[in-house]
Amino acid sequence: MRSIRTLCGLRVLAMAIVPALGAVLIAPNLARAAITDIRITAVGPSAEGRRKALEARSYERVTGVARGELDPADPRNRVIVNLDLAPRNARGKVEYEADFDLLRPVGGGNRKLIYDVTNRGRKFFTHWVMDGAPANANDPLSREDAGNALHLRQGYTLVWSGWDPDAPLRNKGMSIRVPVAMRDGQPIVRRIRDEFQSGTRGPVVGEFRLSYESATTDQGRATLTVRRAETDPRTVVPPTEWRFNDARTLQVTTPGSAGSGPAVGSVYELHYPARNPWVLGVGYAATRDLARSRYANADSRGAPNPAGPGIRHALAIGISQSGRYLRDHIGDGFNRDESDRKVFDGVLAHISGVGRVFMNAEFGQPFRTNTQHEDHLYPENSFPFSAARSTDPVTGASGALLRGDGFDPLLIEVNTATEYWQKGASLLHTDPAGTRDLELPPGARVYLVAGTQHGGRVGL
């Protein structure tokens, strides 16, 4: 099969891929993007600021907030759900601000940028790709945090930013502030579904946090059900066995496996009137505009670009949820900015299967991903699946993840055996009916890391 290759490690793969992607593609364009203001909050040495520590270069770390604005009338932004319902400034634009963090080489580097998409607010690159200390992945300062420092020794600038307004902020997680949609000046209220489990992917908990604020804490306006497994029938939980602690917190008092509280492993489902949906698709545009602004010398106030001048190429890597995020970034056209420029020259999506992110929707929930029993009824996988063009046998629609509009990045997708069992990875290189292999376009590659699990990497 020509469309799939097998390799035995993410680090080996990254060593081969990142330099190859960075060696091609486009010349810089210094036109100003939609980032209007870069506010730097701290500048300090990274990896103890010592050249010896990185064997070749000294690095410094820059943290801050990037402010931007979007034009709802721009065709490139119309894909953002409810952007037309967001508050606007005096210029008729929609504003947002995102946390950012970067490591830049002191004295100049190789003029290439790697954008590591955060996963639930967390940075992955130093830990997953450079074998850095996992405990400080969100706060990389020491020599141990840099791991083998492979990409730092090569002179890359590393960049992170927030894209999910509800991402956890503990342990220096990264987030974004986006507007809430309003309709005719009034809050949007709609009945939605929230699903909860205790002690499966996360710790055992005594209460659940709602994805959105409930419009009322009146139990009569909501319904809570429970089932032991995904395919089991739902049982209504009596109102005497649960309550709203507040508009974002649900308390379950049904006796469970560990005493009073949610039964560990059971699937709880709440239907309730939620209000104030974020305009979540702004997160994609913020990534787009922050990445492209690295080619500009300064923001609108004249403040210097913190990445430094002369960045020629931008690459992106996403792991698991953030790999699915990058598939949305490509498929929804966010690799083309408001000035008709390419954003990322190359993209590496790792262990994301054929998934997307339930984000660019009213009352979206970006953290959702289905496993054995969780989150089966949330949108995650949708046609088109592959970079190659294929036909959906259900709807008859034809399409491909790559858009063929001149703004596609070079795309590498890597998956383990887990994603073949659980995340539909075979659809990256076979047609949806499973009857034939697909011929990938020249700018796409698919790899299998055989015989390992979703979180498999060096040392695990």
Side-chain angles (χ1 to χ4, degrees):
M1 184 186 302
R2 289 196 296 163
S3 61
I4 182 166
R5 285 107 166 136
T6 60
L7 291 179
C8 60
L10 176 59
R11 183 173 63 176
V12 173
L13 183 65
M15 290 172 66
I17 291 172
V18 173
L21 288 178
V24 295
L25 312 167
I26 62 173
N29 184 325
L30 299 181
R32 183 170 63 85
I35 296 296
T36 58
D37 182 17
I38 296 285
R39 187 175 74 247
I40 295 174
T41 57
V43 178
S46 181
E48 299 162 8
R50 299 180 304 189
R51 181 174 295 273
K52 183 179 179 181
L54 299 178
E55 302 178 20
R57 302 175 187 272
S58 292
Y59 268 73
E60 61 184 2
R61 181 179 174 190
V62 182
T63 58
V65 174
R67 293 175 174 169
E69 59 181 26
L70 301 172
D71 182 359
D74 191 292
R76 297 154 195 80
N77 295 328
R78 288 177 186 165
V79 69
I80 300 174
V81 172
N82 282 352
L83 186 65
D84 58 328
L85 301 181
R88 306 187 190 189
N89 61 22
R91 294 180 296 279
K93 306 296 179 63
V94 176
E95 297 181 340
Y96 65 87
E97 63 174 33
D99 303 329
F100 77 86
D101 199 346
L102 66 87
L103 299 179
R104 66 186 182 192
V106 176
N110 65 6
R111 301 175 70 187
K112 299 182 182 75
L113 177 152
I114 298 175
Y115 181 88
D116 175 29
V117 182
T118 54
N119 182 312
R120 294 170 173 81
R122 301 168 297 173
K123 303 168 184 172
F124 271 25
F125 194 84
T126 57
H127 173 34
W128 276 67
V129 180
M130 297 196 300
D131 298 341
N136 296 325
N138 264 16
D139 194 22
L141 292 174
S142 72
R143 172 64 184 89
E144 290 72 25
D145 299 337
N148 59 41
L150 172 66
H151 299 87
L152 304 184
R153 286 185 277 115
Q154 294 178 344
Y156 284 92
T157 297
L158 303 184
V159 180
W160 301 266
S161 68
W163 55 268
D164 177 2
D166 206 31
L169 299 180
R170 60 182 179 273
N171 298 325
K172 299 193 175 182
M174 305 187 73
S175 183
I176 187 173
R177 273 69 64 195
V178 301
V180 167
M182 304 277 286
R183 184 169 284 114
D184 299 324
Q186 299 298 315
I188 295 175
V189 177
R190 200 181 85 196
R191 192 173 180 84
I192 70 168
R193 171 183 173 274
D194 243 336
E195 187 180 293
F196 315 99
Q197 283 190 310
S198 172
T200 52
R201 289 190 298 231
V204 174
V205 297
E207 61 184 24
F208 297 123
R209 184 171 184 268
L210 277 61
S211 297
Y212 288 89
E213 179 183 1
S214 179
T216 176
T217 56
D218 178 2
Q219 287 179 280
R221 299 279 304 279
T223 302
L224 181 68
T225 64
V226 64
R227 61 192 189 278
R228 187 60 190 165
E230 166 60 30
T231 56
D232 290 345
R234 294 166 173 81
T235 300
V236 174
V237 180
T240 55
E241 296 182 355
W242 70 275
R243 65 178 182 270
F244 288 107
N245 285 342
D246 55 47
R248 288 281 314 256
T249 310
L250 176 70
Q251 181 75 53
V252 179
T253 57
T254 304
S257 58
S260 182
V264 173
S266 292
V267 182
Y268 290 86
E269 189 175 304
L270 181 71
H271 292 256
Y272 66 103
R275 67 180 174 191
N276 296 334
W278 290 297
V279 186
L280 292 172
V282 168
Y284 292 115
T287 295
R288 174 194 70 190
D289 295 339
L290 185 64
R292 280 302 297 179
S293 72
R294 303 302 177 180
Y295 293 87
N297 291 325
D299 68 10
S300 60
R301 300 177 296 108
N305 186 336
I311 295 290
R312 295 180 303 172
H313 305 301
L315 314 173
I317 180 171
I319 298 172
S320 192
Q321 181 205 40
S322 46
R324 293 187 285 118
Y325 176 90
L326 284 173
R327 285 174 53 82
D328 267 340
H329 169 90
I330 296 167
D332 287 348
F334 288 104
N335 212 48
R336 177 183 186 178
D337 77 359
E338 289 181 328
S339 299
D340 286 333
R341 298 167 303 183
K342 186 180 290 187
V343 178
F344 296 119
D345 303 315
V347 165
L348 169 57
H350 182 64
I351 57 173
S352 52
V354 295
R356 306 290 188 94
V357 180
F358 178 33
M359 178 166 156
N360 190 23
E362 188 173 278
F363 293 104
Q365 300 174 31
F367 62 93
R368 299 291 183 183
T369 183
N370 69 75
T371 54
Q372 183 177 8
H373 297 290
E374 297 101 328
D375 296 349
H376 280 225
L377 300 180
Y378 291 96
E380 181 174 345
N381 306 321
S382 60
F383 183 85
F385 307 109
S386 173
R389 181 164 290 275
S390 62
T391 300
D392 183 350
V394 176
T395 66
S398 179
L401 182 70
L402 295 181
R403 299 168 64 87
D405 57 3
F407 298 93
D408 289 326
L410 297 181
L411 174 64
I412 295 176
E413 299 193 82
V414 185
N415 289 283
T416 71
T418 297
E419 288 75 52
Y420 276 80
W421 283 101
Q422 197 167 298
K423 296 294 181 181
S426 63
L427 291 170
L428 296 174
H429 53 87
T430 64
D431 74 308
T435 58
R436 64 182 179 88
D437 292 338
L438 296 175
E439 186 69 25
L440 294 176
R445 299 289 186 273
V446 172
Y447 292 88
L448 166 65
V449 184
T452 189
Q453 71 274 27
H454 184 73
R457 54 192 186 278
V458 174
L460 294 178

